[in-house]
């Protein structure tokens, strides 16, 4: 007897339990059952449960009983996941039958008797949602013809043999994204049979950036590999002077992630016909990733108190967050901007929309839609809260899509932001906002372009408020906002700078035109005027480069007198621990000093803080803000400047075999040395890796000053290819301690 195909075991197993066999006549049922049992035994003895490693041989011809009176009954649908997965770039999904729209996929139908393509008629139906209707585009009926129709729902016979028929099905490039039930209808000798809607017979249709007519089409294989298929990336944090990065597990192909992404769309109550529109889907995802309105995925917390949840710095990726949300059916605690962005990247990539996380340093939060960031100080040179703020960094997303709702030229990368900062159309969401509109100051285009423009290109305006509440404009800093915008480079672990995508070179004619164009559409269109400044003392405030936690902080205010007269300067310096959002946490110290500068001379003011003075004051991100204020008594010149910097953390060392074998267990080791002169408590290690290890928390005993500790974790690779082990460390005094190791699984 010829060999049996690889998938026959699954097909025969389902056929053997078919209701038709149970109700068939004694002779036919016994004969078929005996034949199938013999075949099943042969398959099991020859190959075992796993099946052969080599491609299957040609299908054998199996004699089927001829049933003259009954209809042509379907016994199984094989969605050929290996074949379709490779063609549709969905082979990394471990669950569901997943394809991309606008591209044919193949199913294999198995009938209980011989299929005659000349006599028997087939029809494929796709049912979307709880109440599918033809006029809503949620119930599609497709007669199986001889060829597919481009750009439409259609089905065509590919081949048939005995009781098998291969059918190709295609969806249009604007099809609804989500899960469809597949129903097969047959007509044979005037008798009709319809298969039942079951969870097994479903197909999930995603956006398809590989197809030209899909609005997410991206004509660059390297970028598609990075922005759709790559499960590993980085989140950039810190300050523009001291950029930090940590690995992030996007894990869009991990088990249950597709389920939770589809649940988010269902829960959002987005209209079915809108689920094929990447503009509307990305906007709704930015709403559903936060929990501010509709019980979405993440609850934000910037207080520093994370009781009842997990500190945002403890997450290594999106997988654990999304799974927890799926299993508990309630928002996960807690997130901050890079966590919201990481989860949003995962959801968009999972749905098929090219996406990346983007960090903007010196990111403005404009609260009055003036598109300027106003800073006020009183006559004693003390800061006055004016509502606007500047975050040391802010992380949002970019998603790639066409914008058919806008004039030509605004497609491509769009900013979308899930962090709940301000409402848009009454809910906490942001975008999609065309990056090209931001660059040119076209802030009148949707969505939320004014807000994004201010984040990256607002001018910082300093005002002096006198005793009578009168305002005097001191100066305008034109390059203070929007610096070193960062994302992971395509195909490497390097940082890619995106600043030029958002704005022209600072101070150029094009950049000034864009700023003035944007401000003219704000709430204060007539207040933008350059200040003619008459200043003869130059100031610069800065801290030492690359200060690690545990080292002294040394700050210098340098002054240079460019006049031929002496100058007396009153200086005031403060050092504060800050949240990365620009909100002060604790005062570290301050210094006030009068300085005399000779004609054409220089002078400086310095202050130093030891670890014992600042360590207990630090909060998440270990960011310190130095604020310098100065008044030149002779000329009434006023200076206000600052330097924000991140105290750097040590790295984790991750050790494991860099070459692994699928299914073979290995041990990974994480090593950490306490750099501080205090004992660390509340110690936790977190480790994970897509295709290698589910997210896991490992608690540890307190770590003494200078002590080195090692933790180990066993893992068994589930997928082949390049993978990354990601680890992080948190404690009462140190956070944002991370490490990673790239491995190859074969």
């Amino acid at each position: 007897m010829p060999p049996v195909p690889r998938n026959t075991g699954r097909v025969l197993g389902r056929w053997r339990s078919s209701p038709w066999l149970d109700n068939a006549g004694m002779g036919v049922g016994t004969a078929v059952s005996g034949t199938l049992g013999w075949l099943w035994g042969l398959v099991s003895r020859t190959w075992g449960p796993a099946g052969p490693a080599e491609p299957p041989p040609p299908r054998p011809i199996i004699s089927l009983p001829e049933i003259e009176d009954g209809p042509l009954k379907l016994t199984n649908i094989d969605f050929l996941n290996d074949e379709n997965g490779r063609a549709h770039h969905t082979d990394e999904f471990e669950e569901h039958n997943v394809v991309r729209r606008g591209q044919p996929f193949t199913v294999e139908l198995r009938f209980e008797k011989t299929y005659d393509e000349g006599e028997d008629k087939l029809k494929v139906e796709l049912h979307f949602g709880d109440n599918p209707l033809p006029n809503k585009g949620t119930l599609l009926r497709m007669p199986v013809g001889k060829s597919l129709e481009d750009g439409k729902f259609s089905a065509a016979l590919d081949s048939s043999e005995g009781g098998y028929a291969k059918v190709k099905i295609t969806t249009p490039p604007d099809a609804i994204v989500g899960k469809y039930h597949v129903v097969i209808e047959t007509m044979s000798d005037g008798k009709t049979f319809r298969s039942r809607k079951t969870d097994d017979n479903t197909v999930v249709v995603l956006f398809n950036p590989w197809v030209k007519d899909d609005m997410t089409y991206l004509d660059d294989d390297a970028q598609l590999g990075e922005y759709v298929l790559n499960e590993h990336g980085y989140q950039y944090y810190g300050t523009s002077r001291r950029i930090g990065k940590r690995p992030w597990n996007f894990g869009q192909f991990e088990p249950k992630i597709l389920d939770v992404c589809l649940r988010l769309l269902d829960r959002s109550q987005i209209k079915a016909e809108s689920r094929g529109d990447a503009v509307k889907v990305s906007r709704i995802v930015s709403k559903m990733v936060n929990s501010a309105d509709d019980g979405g995925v993440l609850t934000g917390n910037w207080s520093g108190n994370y009781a009842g949840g997990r500190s945002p710095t403890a997450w290594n990726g999106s997988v654990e967050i999304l799974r927890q949300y799926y299993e508990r059916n309630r928002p996960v605690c807690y997130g901050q901007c890079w966590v919201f962005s990481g989860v949003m990247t995962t959801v968009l990539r999972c749905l098929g929309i090219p996406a990346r996380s983007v960090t903007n340093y010196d990111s403005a939060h404009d609260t009055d839609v003036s598109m300027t960031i106003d800073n006020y100080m009183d006559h004693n040179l003390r800061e006055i809260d004016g509502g606007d703020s500047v975050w040391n960094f802010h992380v949002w997303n970019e998603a790639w899509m066409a914008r058919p709702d806008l004039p030509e030229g605004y497609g491509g990368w769009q900013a979308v932001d899930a962090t709940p900062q301000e409402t848009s159309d009454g809910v906490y969401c942001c975008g999609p906002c065309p990056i090209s509109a931001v660059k040119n100051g076209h802030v009148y285009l949707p969505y939320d372009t004014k807000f994004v423009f201010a984040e990256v290109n607002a001018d910082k305006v300093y005002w002096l408020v006198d005793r009578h509440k009168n305002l005097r404009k001191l100066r305008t800093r034109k390059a203070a906002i929007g610096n070193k915008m960062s994302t992971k480079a395509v195909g490497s672990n390097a940082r890619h700078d995106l600043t030029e995508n958002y704005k022209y070179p600072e101070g150029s004619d094009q950049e000034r035109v864009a700023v003035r164009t944007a401000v003219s559409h704000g709430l204060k269109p007539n207040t933008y005027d350059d200040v003619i400044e008459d200043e003869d003392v130059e100031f610069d405030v800065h801290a030492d480069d690359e200060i690690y936690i545990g080292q002294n902080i040394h700050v210098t205010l340098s002054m240079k007198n460019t006049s031929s007269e002496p100058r007396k300067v009153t200086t005031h310096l403060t050092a504060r621990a800050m949240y990365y959002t620009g909100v002060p946490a604790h005062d570290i110290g301050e210094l006030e000093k009068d300085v005399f500068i000779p004609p054409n001379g220089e002078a400086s003011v310095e202050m130093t803080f030891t670890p014992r003075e600042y360590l207990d004051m630090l909060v998440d991100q270990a960011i310190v803000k130095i604020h310098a204020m100065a008044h030149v008594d002779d000329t009434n010149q006023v200076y206000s400047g600052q330097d924000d910097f991140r105290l750097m953390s040590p790295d984790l060392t991750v050790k494991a075999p860099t070459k692994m074998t699928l299914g073979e267990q290995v041990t990974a080791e994480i090593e950490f040395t306490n750099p501080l002169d205090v004992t660390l408590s509340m110690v936790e290690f977190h480790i994970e890796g897509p295709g290698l290890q589910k997210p896991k928390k490992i608690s540890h005993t307190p770590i003494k000053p200078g002590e080195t500790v090692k933790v180990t974790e066993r893992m068994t690779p589930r997928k082949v290819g390049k993978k990354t082990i990601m680890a992080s460390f948190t404690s009462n005094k140190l956070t944002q301690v991370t490490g990673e190791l790239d491995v190859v699984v074969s």
Side-chain angles (χ1 to χ4, degrees), residues 4-7 47 50-58 82 86:
V4 183
R6 180 177 181 180
N7 63 350
W47 292 330
E54 298 298 324
D82 289 345
R86 288 190 298 270

Side-chain angles (χ1 to χ4, degrees), residues 98-130:
V98 188
V99 299
R100 301 188 188 275
R101 65 186 189 177
Q103 180 178 345
F105 63 95
T106 306
V107 298
E108 186 176 73
L109 309 179
R110 178 71 169 96
F111 304 104
E112 67 177 22
K113 67 178 184 178
T114 300
Y115 166 70
D116 185 341
E117 63 179 278
E119 298 294 331
D120 300 328
K121 305 298 182 184
L122 299 178
K123 185 180 291 183
V124 177
E125 293 183 2
L126 298 180
H127 296 232
F128 180 85
D130 296 330

Side-chain angles (χ1 to χ4, degrees), residues 612 673-680 702-708:
R612 290 193 177 276
T673 300
N674 180 5
L676 305 181
D677 60 358
V678 297
T679 297
L680 301 177
I703 303 175
K704 297 178 181 179
E707 181 182 1
T708 297

Side-chain angles (χ1 to χ4, degrees), residues 376-410:
Y376 303 93
M377 66 186 77
D378 63 20
H379 60 281
N380 292 319
L381 303 186
R382 303 286 182 175
E383 286 184 286
I384 302 172
D385 184 11
D388 294 345
S389 62
V390 179
W391 296 23
N392 294 101
F393 69 95
H394 180 50
V395 189
W396 60 73
N397 294 83
E398 289 179 0
W400 180 273
M401 66 193 71
R403 289 298 301 267
D405 57 319
L406 299 180
E408 288 188 14
Y410 295 104

Side-chain angles (χ1 to χ4, degrees), residues 106 430 690 732:
T106 306
C430 182
N732 65 324

Side-chain angles (χ1 to χ4, degrees), residues 425-437:
D425 295 334
V427 296
Y428 283 98
C429 65
C430 182
C433 162
I435 303 305
S436 58

Side-chain angles (χ1 to χ4, degrees), residues 13 17 255 286 288 377 423 662 723 734:
S17 62
S286 78
M288 293 304 299
M377 66 186 77
T423 58
L662 184 70
K723 306 297 175 185
L734 276 178

Side-chain angles (χ1 to χ4, degrees), residues 423-629:
T423 58
S424 174
D425 295 334
V427 296
Y428 283 98
C429 65
C430 182
C433 162
I435 303 305
S436 58
V438 174
K439 184 171 185 175
N440 291 287
H442 298 167
V443 297
Y444 45 84
L445 294 173
Y447 293 92
D448 307 302
T449 312
K450 291 178 181 178
F451 186 78
V452 177
F453 179 90
E455 287 183 301
V456 302
N457 206 13
D459 284 350
K460 199 170 185 179
V461 183
Y462 291 85
W463 302 86
L464 182 66
V465 184
D466 65 20
R467 290 181 174 87
H468 304 290
K469 307 300 181 182
N470 296 314
L471 291 178
R472 171 190 164 199
K473 185 183 288 187
L474 299 176
R475 65 178 178 134
T476 301
R477 291 184 62 194
K478 300 175 182 178
I481 302 300
N483 293 297
K484 296 186 178 178
M485 303 185 69
S486 303
T487 193
K488 178 185 175 298
V490 173
S492 80
N493 293 338
R495 183 185 75 90
H496 177 52
D497 195 294
L498 299 173
T499 310
E500 66 177 10
N501 293 359
Y502 282 82
K503 55 185 179 179
Y504 295 101
E506 287 286 0
S508 66
D509 290 342
Q510 301 101 313
E511 189 263 346
R512 288 292 92 194
V513 168
V515 171
R516 291 180 180 275
T517 300
V519 173
S520 71
H521 292 278
L523 291 184
K524 301 176 183 178
N526 300 317
T527 61
Y528 196 90
D529 293 305
D530 289 331
V531 178
I532 300 175
E533 299 168 338
D534 183 16
E535 301 177 341
D536 55 23
V537 178
E538 298 174 355
F539 296 88
D540 178 59
V541 61
H542 62 275
D544 292 344
D545 291 331
E546 295 192 357
I547 308 172
Y548 280 83
I549 293 181
Q551 296 177 340
N552 288 348
I553 297 174
H554 184 71
V555 180
T556 303
L557 173 64
S558 301
M559 296 165 281
K560 182 179 180 180
N561 180 6
T562 62
S563 76
S564 58
E565 302 290 334
R567 293 288 181 253
K568 178 188 175 184
V569 182
T570 300
T571 64
H572 183 243
L573 280 74
T574 59
R576 291 189 177 99
M578 304 288 291
Y579 294 102
Y580 79 95
T581 57
V583 175
H586 306 289
D587 289 342
I588 296 175
E590 63 180 328
L591 173 67
E592 189 164 319
K593 187 176 182 180
D594 290 338
V595 180
F596 291 90
I597 313 176
N600 298 306
E602 298 181 3
S604 63
V605 175
E606 300 180 2
M607 61 181 183
T608 300
F609 300 100
T610 66
R612 290 193 177 276
E613 292 176 295
Y614 70 74
L615 197 56
D616 289 338
M617 305 297 176
L618 298 178
V619 291
D620 296 344
Q621 308 292 337
I623 289 175
V624 176
K625 177 179 181 178
I626 306 299
H627 193 190
M629 312 287 286

